[in-house]
């Protein structure tokens, strides 16, 4: 990615909502804030807005970079920018940090007005429908009645799907990428191991580690290492690391001997250094709970029947966490309803993380679909 | 009507369908037939295996689902569509009977078009000792995607064996003109409209 093709320097913004936000779980925030970024220009008719939903560890910084930190490039900068698949010359793109996040929106590290301490473990459990309602408030604030498209990968794709069900009048197109209509038991199991790593860290303090001036970094590191393994593919790990030993390895011990270990430790450390443990618990729980078909007798087609959007569903051949078969469940439900949908299964080496990669065919598919999205 | 010039069978196929009906086009390529049907007020979805064709179909703004027909149509409901189309693709498929059965499971009616191996020019090529190459069989033997070579008589006999009812049949020569007699001899491309027996 070159400087010329990037959206360039961007700034995060903040919006405060004075009214309470009541979560599906029943608890409420008396007032709340979202941090977001926008790229491109909203047209006069306000018909060219795209919402980009974030995945598990995501945030609002989707494209461009910060003037005071040019290395902090948005997580989907290869997808979003001038002339890119989601073209900021045509579209007004909004990235948002979800409620419960740890990048500026109201979350577990925010102050609970009742206690004047960080919410910690008392922060309400958040669901995908909660996020959709919060994002709709952001849309209201920006004067956007209807998104030209709601776009997301993984947990972001689930939010895009939920938008089409909960607020069908407000979404013209949904791009549901590397997602699933609900998690499998295996997926929930992985999430539980990740959560247990965090919860059992002695520095977790029942989620109130803020008041102890510490953070459960070991648990968070383990959680991320586990997650990272599941987001890659066996082929990709074999190709990238094989059984390569580190220089000076051969101690017959349990220090880092293999390159893959070194890589995972690095990724785990990097993540544990910046991410909030309670947010990780909340985000994985939102994934577990996501099941839009449940209120419709487990009939996904019935859940999607009211959707008015056109859909582009994309999966990746080596994604075993959210396999192509899971995306096909969404496609089949839409076809059953005679709803407009296109589906591409991208041949890719990068497992679940493929949706973040700079794959020419994948980007061409998104660009082709977006070219037909009217503004 | 560039569609019609390139694919004379499309006009025949579209003529068997009514506005408002739903169509599943198997092996839809870049979605040319679906575009034509959309112009005529039908709702269509295509199945296509080739990633380049899927991309082209998305560019054309038609509904395309990337999938391999050899794996059948599992996931689609019984009677989900008014029509299921397989144009110039049956001869490229290994699971011939399976796909025909699947088409008439998910569709009320099926349309199948295929190059007629018994076309007189093909017969002539064989008589002169070479495999035929024509407008409708435009490949050399070593690079053809076709894996089945059959004639109209062969196909009709298979339909009878499978209990499928031929409701309509149109035959074109290699210039796209309708053939009105000696179909199996003068026909280069055959287009059939098929239903289940008893329905």
């Amino acid at each position: 990615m070159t400087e010329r093709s990037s959206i360039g320097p961007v700034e995060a913004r903040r919006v405060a909502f004075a009214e309470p936000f009541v979560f599906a779980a029943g608890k409420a925030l008396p007032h709340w804030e979202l941090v977001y970024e926008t790229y491109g220009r909203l047209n006069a008719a306000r018909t060219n807005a795209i919402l980009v939903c974030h995945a598990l560890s995501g945030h609002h910084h989707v494209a461009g970079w910060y003037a005071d930190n040019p290395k902090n490039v948005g997580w989907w900068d290869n997808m979003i920018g001038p002339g890119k698949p989601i073209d900021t010359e045509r579209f007004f793109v909004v990235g948002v940090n979800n409620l419960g996040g740890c990048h500026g929106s109201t979350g577990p590290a925010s102050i609970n007005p009742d206690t004047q301490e960080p919410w910690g473990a008392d922060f309400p459990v958040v669901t995908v429908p909660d996020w959709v309602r919060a994002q709709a408030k952001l849309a209201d604030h920006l004067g956007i009645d209807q998104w030209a498209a709601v776009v997301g990968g993984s947990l972001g794709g689930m939010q895009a799907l939920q938008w089409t069900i909960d607020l069908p009048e407000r979404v013209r197109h949904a791009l549901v990428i590397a997602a699933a209509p609900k998690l499998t038991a295996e997926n929930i199991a992985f999430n539980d191991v990740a959560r247990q790593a965090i919860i059992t860290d002695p520095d977790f303090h029942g989620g109130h580690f803020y008041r102890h001036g510490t953070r459960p970094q070991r648990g968070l590191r383990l959680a991320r290492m586990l997650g990272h393994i599941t987001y890659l593919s066996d082929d990709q790990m074999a190709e990238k690391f094989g059984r390569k030993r580190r220089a000076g390895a051969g101690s017959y011990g349990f220090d880092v001997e293999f390159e893959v270990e070194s890589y995972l430790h690095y990724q785990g450390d990097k993540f544990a250094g910046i991410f909030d443990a309670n947010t990780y618990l909340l985000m994985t729980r939102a994934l577990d709970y996501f099941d839009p078909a449940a209120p419709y007798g487990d009939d996904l087609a019935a859940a999607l029947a009211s959707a008015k959007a056109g859909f582009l569903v994309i999966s990746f051949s080596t994604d075993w966490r959210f396999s192509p078969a899971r995306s096909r469940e969404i496609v089949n439900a839409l076809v059953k309803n005679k709803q407009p949908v296109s589906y591409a299964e991208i041949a890719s080496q990068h497992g679940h993380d493929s949706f973040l990669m700079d794959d020419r065919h994948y980007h061409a598919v998104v660009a082709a679909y977006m070219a037909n999205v009217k503004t | 009507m560039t569609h019609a010039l390139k694919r004379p069978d499309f006009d025949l196929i579209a003529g068997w369908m009514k506005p408002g009906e739903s169509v599943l086009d198997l092996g839809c390529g870049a979605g040319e037939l679906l575009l034509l049907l959309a112009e005529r007020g039908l709702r269509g979805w295509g199945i296509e295996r080739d990633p380049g064709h899927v991309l082209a179909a998305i560019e054309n703004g038609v509904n395309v689902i990337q999938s391999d027909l050899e794996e059948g149509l599992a996931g689609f409901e019984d009677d989900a569509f008014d029509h299921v189309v397989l144009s110039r693709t049956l001869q490229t498929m290994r699971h011939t009977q399976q796909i025909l059965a699947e088409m008439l499971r998910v569709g009320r009616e099926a349309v199948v078009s295929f190059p007629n191996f018994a076309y007189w020019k093909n017969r002539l090529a064989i008589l002169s000792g070479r495999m035929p190459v024509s407008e409708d069989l435009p490949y050399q033997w070593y690079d053809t995607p076709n894996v089945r070579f059959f004639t109209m008589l062969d196909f009709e006999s298979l339909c009878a064996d499978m209990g499928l009812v031929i409701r309509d049949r149109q035959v074109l020569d290699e210039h796209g003109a309708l053939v009105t007699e000696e179909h199996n001899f003068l026909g280069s491309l055959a287009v059939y409209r098929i239903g289940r027996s008893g329905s």
Side-chain angles (χ1 to χ4, degrees):
Chain A
M1 106 201 89
T2 63
E3 284 198 14
R4 270 182 62 220
S5 66
S6 175
I7 189 74
V10 297
E11 280 178 40
R13 293 177 211 183
R14 174 180 298 276
V15 53
F17 298 92
E19 75 264 36
F21 187 91
V22 181
F23 291 81
K27 284 191 185 177
L29 297 173
H31 47 80
W32 49 289
E33 296 182 1
L34 290 179
V35 168
Y36 66 99
E37 286 177 17
T38 69
Y39 326 109
R41 271 206 216 135
L42 187 60
N43 64 15
R46 299 173 181 266
T47 54
N48 68 332
I50 309 275
L51 175 67
V52 179
C53 302
H54 71 62
L56 180 59
S57 60
H59 46 70
H60 52 282
H61 185 38
V62 182
W65 68 80
Y66 295 135
D68 62 351
N69 184 7
K71 283 188 177 167
N72 190 347
V73 177
W75 56 269
W76 224 357
D77 192 76
N78 61 20
M79 181 69 85
I80 296 158
K84 292 186 180 178
I86 297 174
D87 189 350
T88 49
E89 306 277 0
R90 284 188 67 216
F91 295 110
F92 174 70
V93 179
V94 179
V96 58
N97 183 219
N98 282 351
L99 272 181
C102 55
H103 295 93
S105 293
T106 304
S110 306
I111 298 299
N112 176 349
D114 289 343
T115 63
Q116 292 304 311
E117 275 196 58
W119 283 92
D122 298 330
F123 193 85
V125 168
V126 59
T127 65
V128 171
D130 288 331
W131 284 334
V132 167
R133 275 188 295 117
Q135 290 159 359
K137 291 286 185 188
L138 175 62
D140 295 342
H141 168 74
L142 295 170
I144 296 161
D145 291 335
Q146 185 186 60
W147 299 103
V150 179
V151 183
S154 192
L155 181 54
M158 294 170 169
Q159 291 163 66
L161 200 61
Q162 191 79 51
W163 260 97
T164 69
I165 295 169
D166 290 353
L167 297 163
E169 308 288 345
R170 300 191 73 171
V171 192
R172 286 207 302 283
H173 294 272
L175 278 70
V176 180
I177 304 170
K182 63 183 175 208
L183 294 197
T184 59
E186 186 187 47
N187 265 316
I188 295 171
F190 279 127
N191 283 347
D192 187 51
V193 175
R195 281 191 297 268
Q196 289 302 315
I198 292 168
I199 290 167
T200 57
D201 185 317
D203 286 331
F204 184 62
H205 298 290
H208 293 290
F209 49 86
Y210 312 96
R211 68 171 72 130
H212 295 267
T214 182
R215 309 169 67 247
Q217 290 210 45
R218 283 166 294 185
L220 204 48
R221 178 173 181 265
L222 283 176
R224 186 57 173 179
M225 285 170 69
L226 171 76
H228 213 83
I229 295 166
T230 71
Y231 302 146
L232 305 179
S233 71
D234 194 20
D235 284 352
Q236 179 199 10
M237 288 174 90
E239 188 183 318
K240 195 166 176 177
F241 308 108
R243 294 180 48 85
K244 278 198 295 286
R245 300 291 188 104
R246 297 203 71 201
S251 66
Y252 290 98
F254 298 103
D255 292 338
V256 173
E257 290 270 304
F258 294 90
E259 285 292 348
V260 66
E261 296 174 305
S262 168
Y263 173 78
L264 283 178
H265 289 201
Y266 169 76
Q267 292 292 340
D269 288 338
K270 193 171 82 170
F271 187 75
I274 54 169
F275 211 77
D276 181 89
N278 284 312
T279 288
Y280 203 77
L281 300 183
L282 287 170
M283 300 277 168
T284 56
R285 213 40 161 168
L287 268 168
D288 296 349
Y289 281 131
F290 179 72
D291 187 2
Y296 297 86
D298 291 328
D299 182 345
L300 185 62
L304 284 162
S306 57
K308 293 199 156 83
F311 287 81
L312 175 64
V313 179
I314 295 178
S315 71
F316 298 90
S317 58
T318 50
D319 184 349
W320 57 276
R321 207 82 203 235
F322 294 150
S323 71
R326 307 307 314 283
S327 285
R328 276 302 298 265
E329 292 174 31
I330 299 168
V331 173
N332 292 343
L334 291 165
V335 172
K336 184 180 177 187
N337 292 335
K338 303 285 197 302
Q339 288 161 310
V341 55
S342 281
Y343 168 66
E345 183 185 319
I346 311 290
S348 164
Q349 296 298 306
H350 300 288
H352 184 60
D353 274 353
S354 297
F355 82 93
L356 297 168
M357 303 293 171
D358 200 0
D359 178 281
R360 181 191 289 261
H361 179 63
Y362 162 44
H363 281 190
V365 165
V366 174
Y369 189 87
M370 293 306 295
N372 287 321
V373 172
K374 293 188 176 66
T375 56
Chain B
M1 292 297 288
T2 51
H3 310 302
L5 282 177
K6 265 162 64 184
R7 296 293 303 266
D9 53 330
F10 283 178
D11 269 346
L12 288 176
I13 293 170
W16 286 332
M17 300 173 182
K18 292 199 286 284
E21 290 184 325
S22 62
V23 182
L24 182 66
D25 184 14
L26 307 181
C28 69
E32 295 91 344
L33 175 63
L34 291 169
L35 278 174
L36 177 68
L37 295 176
E39 283 170 20
R40 299 188 183 190
L42 285 101
R43 295 171 301 157
W45 291 260
I47 305 256
E48 176 56 49
R49 178 180 58 185
D50 178 75
H53 288 159
V54 170
L55 175 60
I58 292 173
E59 277 169 1
N60 280 331
V62 301
N63 298 312
V64 59
I65 294 157
Q66 189 172 348
S67 187
D68 186 349
L69 292 180
E70 296 287 8
E71 286 159 24
L73 301 175
F76 294 118
E77 307 269 315
D78 294 359
D79 289 315
F81 303 92
D82 295 313
H83 307 275
V84 180
V85 177
L86 188 66
S87 66
R88 303 191 194 219
T89 304
L90 188 63
Q91 76 280 2
T92 69
M93 295 198 58
R94 290 182 187 282
H95 299 105
T96 312
Q97 294 185 69
Q98 181 194 322
I99 195 65
L100 288 172
E102 279 284 87
M103 287 173 76
L104 283 163
R105 177 182 68 80
V106 305
R108 211 166 41 73
E109 189 170 271
V111 174
V112 178
S113 74
F114 57 86
N116 179 28
F117 204 67
Y119 180 50
W120 68 272
K121 282 193 181 174
N122 298 338
R123 298 190 195 195
L124 203 60
I126 296 283
L127 278 177
S128 66
R130 300 293 300 269
M131 285 299 283
V133 177
S134 68
E135 280 288 307
D136 293 304
L137 284 169
Y139 302 99
Q140 295 292 337
W141 62 275
Y142 51 82
D143 71 353
T144 179
N146 301 334
V147 297
R148 304 276 183 237
F149 297 90
F150 53 101
T151 71
M152 292 175 62
L153 288 178
D154 292 330
F155 181 74
E156 289 176 18
S157 140
L158 176 64
C159 287
D161 288 350
M162 291 180 67
L164 306 179
V165 176
I166 294 168
R167 293 182 179 164
D168 217 330
R169 182 185 77 180
Q170 296 289 349
V171 181
L172 302 168
D173 68 16
E174 65 182 323
H175 307 294
L178 271 181
V179 174
T180 53
E181 56 184 4
E182 295 290 341
H183 295 111
N184 201 36
F185 187 69
L186 297 176
S188 173
L189 188 78
V191 193
Y192 284 83
R193 190 156 74 114
I194 301 162
R196 297 166 219 158
S197 63
S199 66

Short mmCIF file of all heavy atoms in Angstrom, two decimals, chain A residues 306-326:
data_model
loop_
_atom_site.label_atom_id
_atom_site.label_comp_id
_atom_site.label_asym_id
_atom_site.label_seq_id
_atom_site.Cartn_x
_atom_site.Cartn_y
_atom_site.Cartn_z
N SER A 306 -37.50 -10.46 6.25
CA SER A 306 -37.86 -9.04 6.17
C SER A 306 -36.74 -8.19 5.59
O SER A 306 -36.92 -7.00 5.34
CB SER A 306 -38.23 -8.53 7.57
OG SER A 306 -37.15 -8.75 8.45
N ALA A 307 -35.56 -8.77 5.38
CA ALA A 307 -34.42 -8.00 4.87
C ALA A 307 -34.73 -7.45 3.49
O ALA A 307 -35.33 -8.13 2.65
CB ALA A 307 -33.17 -8.87 4.84
N LYS A 308 -34.34 -6.21 3.25
CA LYS A 308 -34.60 -5.59 1.95
C LYS A 308 -33.30 -5.36 1.18
O LYS A 308 -33.33 -4.82 0.07
CB LYS A 308 -35.30 -4.25 2.17
CG LYS A 308 -36.70 -4.40 2.74
CD LYS A 308 -37.50 -3.13 2.49
CE LYS A 308 -38.99 -3.37 2.50
NZ LYS A 308 -39.59 -3.39 3.81
N ALA A 309 -32.18 -5.72 1.79
CA ALA A 309 -30.88 -5.42 1.19
C ALA A 309 -30.54 -6.39 0.07
O ALA A 309 -31.06 -7.50 0.02
CB ALA A 309 -29.79 -5.48 2.27
N GLY A 310 -29.65 -5.95 -0.82
CA GLY A 310 -28.94 -6.88 -1.69
C GLY A 310 -27.72 -7.37 -0.92
O GLY A 310 -27.14 -6.63 -0.12
N PHE A 311 -27.33 -8.63 -1.15
CA PHE A 311 -26.25 -9.21 -0.36
C PHE A 311 -25.08 -9.64 -1.24
O PHE A 311 -25.28 -10.19 -2.33
CB PHE A 311 -26.73 -10.45 0.38
CG PHE A 311 -27.64 -10.16 1.55
CD1 PHE A 311 -28.99 -9.91 1.34
CD2 PHE A 311 -27.14 -10.13 2.83
CE1 PHE A 311 -29.83 -9.65 2.41
CE2 PHE A 311 -27.98 -9.86 3.91
CZ PHE A 311 -29.32 -9.62 3.70
N LEU A 312 -23.88 -9.39 -0.73
CA LEU A 312 -22.69 -10.06 -1.25
C LEU A 312 -22.10 -10.85 -0.09
O LEU A 312 -21.75 -10.28 0.94
CB LEU A 312 -21.65 -9.06 -1.78
CG LEU A 312 -20.33 -9.71 -2.24
CD1 LEU A 312 -20.55 -10.63 -3.43
CD2 LEU A 312 -19.28 -8.66 -2.58
N VAL A 313 -22.05 -12.17 -0.25
CA VAL A 313 -21.49 -13.04 0.78
C VAL A 313 -20.17 -13.59 0.24
O VAL A 313 -20.10 -14.03 -0.91
CB VAL A 313 -22.46 -14.19 1.12
CG1 VAL A 313 -21.86 -15.11 2.16
CG2 VAL A 313 -23.80 -13.62 1.60
N ILE A 314 -19.12 -13.51 1.06
CA ILE A 314 -17.80 -13.97 0.63
C ILE A 314 -17.23 -14.89 1.70
O ILE A 314 -17.31 -14.59 2.90
CB ILE A 314 -16.84 -12.78 0.39
CG1 ILE A 314 -17.33 -11.92 -0.78
CG2 ILE A 314 -15.42 -13.25 0.12
CD1 ILE A 314 -16.49 -10.69 -1.06
N SER A 315 -16.65 -16.01 1.25
CA SER A 315 -15.94 -16.88 2.19
C SER A 315 -14.56 -17.20 1.62
O SER A 315 -14.28 -16.87 0.46
CB SER A 315 -16.72 -18.18 2.43
OG SER A 315 -16.65 -18.98 1.26
N PHE A 316 -13.74 -17.84 2.42
CA PHE A 316 -12.37 -18.16 2.00
C PHE A 316 -12.13 -19.66 2.18
O PHE A 316 -12.48 -20.23 3.21
CB PHE A 316 -11.37 -17.33 2.79
CG PHE A 316 -11.55 -15.86 2.55
CD1 PHE A 316 -12.39 -15.11 3.35
CD2 PHE A 316 -10.93 -15.24 1.48
CE1 PHE A 316 -12.61 -13.76 3.10
CE2 PHE A 316 -11.13 -13.90 1.22
CZ PHE A 316 -11.97 -13.16 2.03
N SER A 317 -11.49 -20.24 1.17
CA SER A 317 -11.40 -21.71 1.11
C SER A 317 -10.71 -22.31 2.33
O SER A 317 -11.07 -23.39 2.77
CB SER A 317 -10.67 -22.13 -0.17
OG SER A 317 -9.38 -21.54 -0.21
N THR A 318 -9.73 -21.63 2.90
CA THR A 318 -8.97 -22.22 4.01
C THR A 318 -9.45 -21.74 5.39
O THR A 318 -8.81 -22.01 6.40
CB THR A 318 -7.47 -21.87 3.88
OG1 THR A 318 -7.35 -20.46 3.68
CG2 THR A 318 -6.84 -22.62 2.73
N ASP A 319 -10.58 -21.03 5.41
CA ASP A 319 -11.11 -20.55 6.68
C ASP A 319 -11.84 -21.70 7.36
O ASP A 319 -12.93 -22.09 6.95
CB ASP A 319 -12.07 -19.37 6.41
CG ASP A 319 -12.60 -18.73 7.70
OD1 ASP A 319 -12.40 -19.31 8.79
OD2 ASP A 319 -13.20 -17.66 7.59
N TRP A 320 -11.26 -22.26 8.38
CA TRP A 320 -11.93 -23.39 9.05
C TRP A 320 -12.68 -22.91 10.28
O TRP A 320 -13.50 -23.64 10.83
CB TRP A 320 -10.94 -24.50 9.39
CG TRP A 320 -9.77 -24.09 10.24
CD1 TRP A 320 -8.61 -23.54 9.80
CD2 TRP A 320 -9.66 -24.21 11.66
NE1 TRP A 320 -7.78 -23.28 10.86
CE2 TRP A 320 -8.40 -23.69 12.02
CE3 TRP A 320 -10.51 -24.69 12.67
CZ2 TRP A 320 -7.95 -23.64 13.34
CZ3 TRP A 320 -10.06 -24.65 13.98
CH2 TRP A 320 -8.79 -24.12 14.30
N ARG A 321 -12.44 -21.69 10.72
CA ARG A 321 -13.21 -21.17 11.86
C ARG A 321 -14.62 -20.78 11.39
O ARG A 321 -15.60 -21.09 12.03
CB ARG A 321 -12.45 -19.97 12.39
CG ARG A 321 -12.60 -19.60 13.80
CD ARG A 321 -12.03 -20.05 14.97
NE ARG A 321 -12.95 -19.72 16.07
CZ ARG A 321 -12.63 -19.05 17.13
NH1 ARG A 321 -11.41 -18.61 17.31
NH2 ARG A 321 -13.51 -18.82 18.06
N PHE A 322 -14.70 -20.08 10.27
CA PHE A 322 -15.98 -19.77 9.64
C PHE A 322 -15.91 -20.27 8.21
O PHE A 322 -15.64 -19.52 7.28
CB PHE A 322 -16.26 -18.26 9.66
CG PHE A 322 -16.45 -17.68 11.03
CD1 PHE A 322 -16.09 -16.37 11.30
CD2 PHE A 322 -16.99 -18.42 12.06
CE1 PHE A 322 -16.27 -15.83 12.56
CE2 PHE A 322 -17.17 -17.89 13.33
CZ PHE A 322 -16.80 -16.59 13.57
N SER A 323 -16.17 -21.54 8.04
CA SER A 323 -15.90 -22.21 6.76
C SER A 323 -16.87 -21.75 5.68
O SER A 323 -17.94 -21.20 5.98
CB SER A 323 -16.03 -23.72 6.95
OG SER A 323 -17.39 -24.03 7.14
N PRO A 324 -16.51 -21.98 4.40
CA PRO A 324 -17.43 -21.64 3.31
C PRO A 324 -18.83 -22.24 3.51
O PRO A 324 -19.82 -21.60 3.16
CB PRO A 324 -16.73 -22.24 2.09
CG PRO A 324 -15.27 -22.15 2.43
CD PRO A 324 -15.19 -22.43 3.91
N ALA A 325 -18.91 -23.42 4.10
CA ALA A 325 -20.23 -24.04 4.31
C ALA A 325 -21.12 -23.17 5.19
O ALA A 325 -22.34 -23.12 5.01
CB ALA A 325 -20.07 -25.43 4.93
N ARG A 326 -20.51 -22.45 6.12
CA ARG A 326 -21.30 -21.57 7.00
C ARG A 326 -21.84 -20.38 6.22
O ARG A 326 -22.98 -19.95 6.43
CB ARG A 326 -20.46 -21.07 8.19
CG ARG A 326 -19.77 -22.15 9.00
CD ARG A 326 -20.69 -23.27 9.49
NE ARG A 326 -21.94 -22.81 10.08
CZ ARG A 326 -22.06 -22.31 11.31
NH1 ARG A 326 -21.02 -22.22 12.10
NH2 ARG A 326 -23.23 -21.93 11.77
#
